[in-house]
Amino acid sequence: MSKIPWGPIRSSLVNNFSFGLIKEIVGYADIDMSKLAHLEQRSQGGASKSQLLSAIDQQIGGLGEKQQSDVASICCEEMLIRRPDLEPELERVLSRVGWKFQNNRLLPIDVFDISELLELPEQAHEDLLKAATRLRDGDLSGSLSASCGAIDSVTLSIYQEFSLGDPHRASFQERISQSIKAIGAQEDLEKELHAISWSDSDITPFIKNFSGSLNQAAFIMQKLRSAMGDVHGSKPVIKSVIYDCIKWSALILRVLAVRKGF
């Protein structure tokens, strides 16, 4: 996870916003506006946009990495509120340094491939984006909760459709296992493997191990949710493991999306 780069955002501010709007936009971030108070645009002898941005640069340079990322993220969001048409330009310049937009949210490309959303259940999209956003912002417990919540929303729908009982009385791991069984995901995979001429001797161990890997991922997420997930953020959390949870969540959701309608 690298910090959100300020340079491309700064260039877009200079090219697309007035002096006054730049001040307004950075005012929403962690910038000391009192240090910019003397910089005013006047008909004669006033400050230029370049001078204003240089003063902002100086403040940003004195912030910690997370604070710098927060400033960059907030500025992007405020820029797009005022100029939604700038999203393609911002995405173009930021994608070159590892960042991408989705629903006006700036997310690191290496955390979550946004294109995957098209293949995943729609009701899980918001929670997955929330998980990536919270990881970006350092809210690790919140990111874990959102990753699990994305799966909860889909398994709840499957439990209701197939009358599998009360999902709240089943463990997270059990809900995933029962949902995969109910939609026939394993049978569908077996048919696809037969269609490409796999033998039964290859299919049987493959299916067994594939199903086992999903069950193990579900257990790991369930355990982390109880041991690390915390609405108050008071439990210690390991960042790399939370990153993995987003990936596991997307993998499980892809399997749960094999039926049309999800």
Side-chain angles (χ1 to χ4, degrees), residues 3-4 6 29-31 59-60 62-74 137:
K3 69 179 180 182
I4 302 173
W6 168 246
D30 191 13
I31 296 295
Q59 284 199 52
I60 291 177
L63 299 175
E65 186 171 296
K66 183 182 184 305
Q67 289 175 300
Q68 290 182 27
S69 287
D70 289 344
V71 169
S73 175
I74 291 169
D137 294 340

Side-chain angles (χ1 to χ4, degrees), residues 9 38 45 66 101 113 130-132 134 164 208 227 242 249:
I9 298 167
H38 65 289
K66 183 182 184 305
F101 278 102
D113 184 353
K130 192 182 297 182
R134 288 177 175 176
L164 299 180
K208 181 179 179 181
I242 305 305
S249 179

Side-chain angles (χ1 to χ4, degrees), residues 3 16 49 92 100 180 191 200 228 230 247 262:
K3 69 179 180 182
N16 296 288
K49 285 198 286 186
R92 178 182 64 83
K100 189 173 181 66
I180 290 174
K191 291 176 183 177
D200 287 337
M228 288 189 182
D230 182 349
K247 301 294 187 181
F262 282 96

Side-chain angles (χ1 to χ4, degrees), residues 2-68:
S2 58
K3 69 179 180 182
I4 302 173
W6 168 246
I9 298 167
R10 180 194 197 280
S11 297
S12 189
L13 274 170
V14 172
N15 293 329
N16 296 288
F17 292 92
S18 67
F19 187 100
L21 277 176
I22 292 173
K23 261 195 170 184
E24 181 180 313
I25 288 168
V26 300
Y28 285 95
D30 191 13
I31 296 295
D32 186 347
M33 298 305 291
S34 67
K35 294 181 179 179
L36 306 178
H38 65 289
L39 297 171
E40 293 290 345
Q41 197 171 42
R42 305 185 184 92
S43 56
Q44 289 185 339
S48 66
K49 285 198 286 186
S50 177
Q51 289 172 316
L52 173 62
L53 266 299
S54 292
I56 295 169
D57 293 341
Q58 189 173 25
Q59 284 199 52
I60 291 177
L63 299 175
E65 186 171 296
K66 183 182 184 305
Q67 289 175 300
Q68 290 182 27

Side-chain angles (χ1 to χ4, degrees), residues 87-114:
E87 183 168 334
E89 178 191 334
L90 280 171
E91 180 158 333
R92 178 182 64 83
V93 297
L94 287 167
S95 64
R96 293 183 294 194
V97 286
W99 295 84
K100 189 173 181 66
F101 278 102
Q102 180 68 24
N103 295 354
N104 284 350
R105 297 175 183 176
L106 185 59
L107 303 173
I109 291 172
D110 62 347
V111 169
F112 186 69
D113 184 353
I114 305 302

Side-chain angles (χ1 to χ4, degrees), residues 87-226:
E87 183 168 334
E89 178 191 334
L90 280 171
E91 180 158 333
R92 178 182 64 83
V93 297
L94 287 167
S95 64
R96 293 183 294 194
V97 286
W99 295 84
K100 189 173 181 66
F101 278 102
Q102 180 68 24
N103 295 354
N104 284 350
R105 297 175 183 176
L106 185 59
L107 303 173
I109 291 172
D110 62 347
V111 169
F112 186 69
D113 184 353
I114 305 302
S115 64
E116 291 183 12
L117 288 179
L118 297 176
E119 303 173 5
L120 303 180
E122 185 175 354
Q123 64 262 52
H125 290 188
E126 181 61 25
D127 276 324
L128 284 174
L129 290 172
K130 192 182 297 182
T133 303
R134 288 177 175 176
L135 180 61
R136 178 201 72 188
D137 294 340
D139 179 6
L140 302 182
S141 290
S143 179
L144 173 61
S145 295
S147 295
C148 294
I151 295 175
D152 286 340
S153 62
V154 178
T155 55
L156 176 61
S157 296
I158 294 174
Y159 261 66
Q160 292 174 339
E161 180 176 350
F162 290 90
S163 301
L164 299 180
D166 183 358
H168 303 294
R169 295 177 65 86
S171 69
F172 181 78
Q173 183 183 20
E174 182 182 353
R175 288 199 303 273
I176 292 172
S177 176
Q178 291 302 313
S179 295
I180 290 174
K181 182 178 179 180
I183 65 175
Q186 180 173 311
E187 290 79 1
D188 287 344
L189 180 56
E190 289 181 10
K191 291 176 183 177
E192 290 183 85
L193 294 174
H194 276 298
I196 59 173
S197 302
W198 277 40
S199 66
D200 287 337
S201 60
D202 287 330
I203 291 174
T204 299
F206 179 86
I207 293 294
K208 181 179 179 181
N209 282 279
F210 183 75
S211 299
S213 67
L214 294 175
N215 194 47
Q216 289 166 2
F219 171 80
I220 291 170
M221 292 186 71
Q222 174 180 286
K223 182 61 179 177
L224 291 173
R225 190 183 208 177
S226 63

